[in-house]
Amino acid sequence: MIKDIAIKGTGISFRSPHWRSIMETKPDIPWMEVLADNFMGAGGMPAYQLDTIAEHYPLTLHSVGISIGAYAPLDFDYLAELKTLKKRTGAIWLSDHLCFTHAQGIYSHDLLPLPYTDESLKHVVERLNIVQDFFGEALLIENPSSYIDSQSNTFSEAEFLQQLVRESNCQLLLDVNNIYVSQYNRHLKCDDYLYHIPWDKVAEIHLAGFEQHKGILIDAHNNPVSEPVWQLFKQVLEVLPNVPALVEWDNDLPPLTDLIGEQQKAESIRQQILSHRQISTFEKEFVAPVKTRKEASTHTLLDLKHWQTQLISAINGDTLANKKMQGHLRKTPMISNDDALGIYQNNYQGTLINTLEQCYKVCRQLIGNDAFRQQAVRYIALSPSTNQDINQYGSRFSAHLMALTNNDPRYSALPYLPDMAKYEYLYQSIYYAPGPPANDLSGASKVNSEMSSDLLIVTLNKHCRVFTSPYPISKIWHIHEEGNLEQLQLLNIEHTEHCLLYRNHELQLVTLPIAHAQFQLLQKMTTTTMPLSHFVTLSETLGLEPDTLLPQWISAGWVALSETLALETSSLKTETPSSCIQE
């Protein structure tokens, strides 16, 4: 990794689809920003891509899951993973957003706005100080785009950020696209926002593209930077010509060359300003902003906790919560409160639909795009996201499809649809699963009395999964993936299969047919940590040869052999191996 290099100039956001082009061309980019949540806890190809990028470019980390404004307790497991990732990549700094992302155990996978009140300010400052102490450094907090305002607001967003900086000593990530989107949708001037920015605390600038829908600007990160945002960027650079900037592009990704074109344009603007810089109006007249007290509504107002629970319920499809929420929002000239809440609801639903479509590609082919989307919408209504890691969403989709095949005669010809969903979810899980631990293979070449000690444990690695079905699911899947649908007519659909799905040493995903006895042994290992003595006994009971099998499985990376404390292993002796066999 590259360490101790100051971040300068204009960088780009790293996205995995660009990885190969980056490694082949090694573009002259001064730095890159990594969306941390795409790589936390991941092994396999995502981890390899990140490691190789870190070897060639200085990095910063940008997260979307700290949820600094959430009323729910801080997730220290998440923070620990984030800290580990920062150390691993040598990232120069860490940034997140002024928002909350979850409430009542439901995750929006979006940046939801806070009421800008004294209560919110105190809450965010307290949490931010805890997080900064945890990391031992100041965080960069980004201004979000937003479409609603609480009637209880007594600060503008810029005033709130200024107070937050003063009381927490954090730094700012100034997203000029977000400023433009939020101000445009409210018929407010961007200059009014900029006058309240504490310029000495701005450590990074973001650029991105929006999309326009029915006259409303949506912060979609799926287009080139717009001309008004370029003009706003120039205004900011007149004050901060040397602050690093970054071009984001998250959705509908273009070729890498297009993204680099945006980066080069941003850097060209910077160099032009540096060559004939004049003191900007903001810099000449800047005075430390004073909080402007606004009159809150005379209606009964939602406190921070109830604001968050009502909003998360509203975007999750609760019509009563939606109606109540509208009564606590200020009216804006460009968009109704109902439509504004609809933006968040569409973002939430669209994100989860896309997640299901990416995971269950063959299931989508089997029932058709329209039918799949209908089932995805129904599933989302019944199964909200309950995990920050969006790749874990959809684990119960196979049960949803089972009910569909049982109750809808249109899908009676697809009895294997639920099993296909199970297979595809396992396939995705293996792609992101952590890699195997390092093993000492020298002692595994032969199973002997010393190795049979209960101090040795055999564990199925996390990037390996066993799968069984009364249908040849893996063959059906490959036929659809390869587009050879005519081969389905030649396939015996009534054929039970047992297989192991795993990620090999070249990081490729592999499906391997295995014998029933091997399946039974591996399946048992998915539910328990197995002392080596139990592994040997169960293998022999199943007619397998453990002294041959174990070294092969360790070498292939399927299982790990490790030591454990005698006290720990004693608790694992719960039943005799023969009683564990599943027919």
Side-chain angles (χ1 to χ4, degrees):
M1 73 184 74
I2 297 177
K3 291 184 176 181
D4 302 324
I5 293 181
I7 297 295
K8 297 180 180 179
T10 305
I12 62 172
S13 56
F14 168 65
R15 297 296 178 263
S16 290
H18 287 151
W19 173 77
R20 190 169 299 279
S21 294
I22 291 172
M23 299 312 297
E24 289 175 351
T25 62
K26 302 295 193 308
D28 185 18
I29 304 294
W31 62 286
M32 294 189 188
E33 180 183 85
V34 171
L35 185 58
D37 301 73
N38 289 345
F39 299 94
M40 289 171 60
M45 185 56 72
Y48 177 74
Q49 290 177 348
L50 182 60
D51 289 344
T52 53
I53 290 294
E55 289 175 0
H56 292 88
Y57 295 95
L59 299 180
T60 64
L61 283 187
H62 192 52
S63 68
V64 293
I66 293 178
S67 198
I68 200 65
Y71 194 84
L74 286 165
D75 185 346
F76 281 95
D77 289 338
Y78 176 89
L79 294 178
E81 281 195 54
L82 197 55
K83 191 173 186 178
T84 298
L85 187 66
K86 187 174 185 297
K87 181 178 180 180
R88 171 181 167 183
T89 59
I92 309 301
W93 63 61
L94 170 66
S95 58
D96 207 301
H97 306 78
L98 178 62
C99 70
F100 77 100
T101 63
H102 62 278
Q104 294 182 302
I106 298 175
Y107 287 79
S108 69
H109 307 287
D110 199 359
L111 310 175
L112 304 181
L114 302 169
Y116 293 133
T117 62
D118 287 319
E119 180 197 13
S120 294
L121 180 63
K122 179 182 178 182
H123 181 72
V124 174
V125 168
E126 289 176 352
R127 288 167 65 90
L128 189 50
N129 285 335
I130 293 171
V131 173
Q132 291 183 140
D133 287 345
F134 182 85
F135 284 95
E137 62 185 72
L139 264 66
L140 277 63
I141 296 297
E142 177 181 338
N143 57 294
S145 59
S146 63
Y147 310 95
I148 58 175
D149 293 311
S150 170
Q151 290 188 17
S152 62
N153 283 2
T154 54
F155 299 94
S156 70
E157 182 176 275
E159 291 168 342
F160 190 94
L161 284 167
Q162 195 277 334
Q163 290 293 115
L164 182 64
V165 166
R166 176 184 296 172
E167 298 186 28
S168 70
N169 203 33
C170 70
Q171 294 183 299
L172 292 184
L173 194 170
L174 192 66
D175 191 311
V176 293
N177 179 69
N178 288 350
I179 293 175
Y180 183 76
V181 167
S182 295
Q183 297 296 93
Y184 178 92
N185 288 337
R186 291 169 172 80
H187 273 186
L188 298 175
K189 296 180 179 179
C190 292
D191 286 0
D192 294 340
Y193 195 106
L194 295 181
Y195 271 118
H196 292 281
I197 294 299
W199 298 105
D200 59 322
K201 290 294 186 178
V202 177
E204 183 184 344
I205 302 166
H206 267 187
L207 290 159
F210 56 74
E211 70 177 16
Q212 194 160 5
H213 180 69
K214 296 181 179 179
I216 304 301
L217 303 188
I218 308 295
D219 178 33
H221 289 198
N222 63 347
N223 280 305
V225 179
S226 67
E227 185 56 34
V229 174
W230 283 125
Q231 294 302 318
L232 188 58
F233 178 58
K234 291 178 182 178
Q235 285 184 262
V236 172
L237 286 186
E238 289 287 356
V239 184
L240 304 171
N242 293 308
V243 169
L246 179 118
V247 180
E248 291 184 291
W249 202 316
D250 298 322
N251 301 307
D252 302 331
L253 284 178
L256 178 64
T257 51
D258 290 6
L259 180 56
I260 292 176
E262 294 285 279
Q263 178 264 340
Q264 291 174 340
K265 182 175 181 178
E267 188 58 26
S268 176
I269 291 172
R270 181 200 304 278
Q271 295 305 321
Q272 291 173 16
I273 288 174
L274 283 171
S275 65
H276 51 80
R277 184 189 176 216
Q278 297 180 353
I279 299 176
S280 73
T281 302
F282 302 112
E283 195 171 8
K284 288 177 183 176
E285 302 178 0
F286 177 72
V287 178
V290 177
K291 182 176 71 171
T292 303
R293 178 64 60 178
K294 296 179 174 63
E295 291 296 328
S297 169
T298 57
H299 292 88
T300 301
L301 302 176
L302 292 175
D303 60 18
L304 182 61
K305 178 181 179 180
H306 289 93
W307 166 273
Q308 295 185 10
T309 57
Q310 287 287 341
L311 181 54
I312 205 80
S313 296
I315 68 172
N316 194 42
D318 186 329
T319 54
L320 181 59
N322 186 296
K323 185 176 181 180
K324 288 182 178 179
M325 196 71 199
Q326 290 185 47
H328 293 280
L329 301 180
R330 288 180 175 169
K331 294 182 179 180
T332 57
M334 292 286 290
I335 183 172
S336 69
N337 288 336
D338 184 43
D339 287 343
L341 288 173
I343 293 173
Y344 291 105
Q345 188 171 6
N346 290 338
N347 286 348
Y348 172 71
Q349 190 174 90
T351 297
L352 296 186
I353 288 174
N354 182 66
T355 299
L356 294 174
E357 288 179 341
Q358 291 302 310
C359 179
Y360 299 104
K361 294 179 181 178
V362 172
C363 287
R364 182 155 53 106
Q365 291 182 42
L366 289 171
I367 67 175
N369 289 333
D370 291 343
F372 185 91
R373 180 168 284 261
Q374 290 175 0
Q375 295 308 316
V377 170
R378 293 176 184 175
Y379 177 78
I380 292 166
L382 297 171
S383 304
S385 178
T386 57
N387 195 298
Q388 175 66 34
D389 183 359
I390 197 169
N391 292 317
Q392 294 190 30
Y393 185 70
S395 61
R396 298 186 298 274
F397 195 56
S398 60
H400 179 83
L401 293 181
M402 180 176 290
L404 180 68
T405 56
N406 289 339
N407 300 321
D408 193 328
R410 291 176 297 175
Y411 304 109
S412 59
L414 297 172
Y416 51 83
L417 183 62
D419 279 2
M420 179 61 72
K422 292 179 183 178
Y423 181 88
E424 293 199 283
Y425 187 78
L426 287 178
Y427 201 84
Q428 174 177 272
S429 299
I430 292 166
Y431 180 80
Y432 289 103
N439 289 300
D440 179 10
L441 302 184
S442 60
S445 60
K446 185 177 181 180
V447 178
N448 53 44
S449 58
E450 182 180 354
M451 288 189 65
S452 297
S453 167
D454 283 342
L455 293 180
L456 291 175
I457 295 296
V458 184
T459 308
L460 184 68
N461 285 323
K462 293 182 179 180
H463 66 286
C464 301
R465 301 286 191 276
V466 291
F467 176 80
T468 186
S469 172
Y471 308 101
I473 295 297
S474 64
K475 293 181 180 179
I476 297 172
W477 186 87
H478 282 286
I479 286 172
H480 279 272
E481 277 288 294
E482 296 166 2
N484 299 323
L485 300 185
E486 65 278 0
Q487 294 186 14
L488 285 174
Q489 300 177 359
L490 306 176
L491 192 64
N492 178 14
I493 206 70
E494 302 293 337
H495 175 73
T496 299
E497 73 170 359
H498 307 294
C499 56
L500 176 71
L501 286 74
Y502 70 100
R503 192 176 64 227
N504 66 18
H505 296 305
E506 289 73 41
L507 307 182
Q508 299 168 325
L509 302 189
V510 178
T511 301
L512 181 70
I514 56 176
H516 186 216
Q518 291 187 346
F519 170 80
Q520 289 179 289
L521 179 57
L522 289 167
Q523 185 183 47
K524 179 58 184 175
M525 295 173 66
T526 65
T527 59
T528 184
T529 302
M530 187 176 292
L532 180 57
S533 58
H534 286 204
F535 177 88
V536 171
T537 304
L538 183 55
S539 298
E540 292 173 345
T541 301
L542 291 168
L544 302 172
E545 299 181 1
D547 56 343
T548 301
L549 203 63
L550 183 59
Q552 290 177 347
W553 286 6
I554 291 176
S555 178
W558 300 352
V559 302
L561 185 66
S562 58
E563 290 185 293
T564 188
L565 296 176
L567 181 61
E568 295 174 336
T569 58
S570 64
S571 65
L572 297 171
K573 300 178 183 179
T574 57
E575 54 187 354
T576 59
S578 59
S579 66
C580 301
I581 300 175
Q582 298 183 14
E583 296 296 341

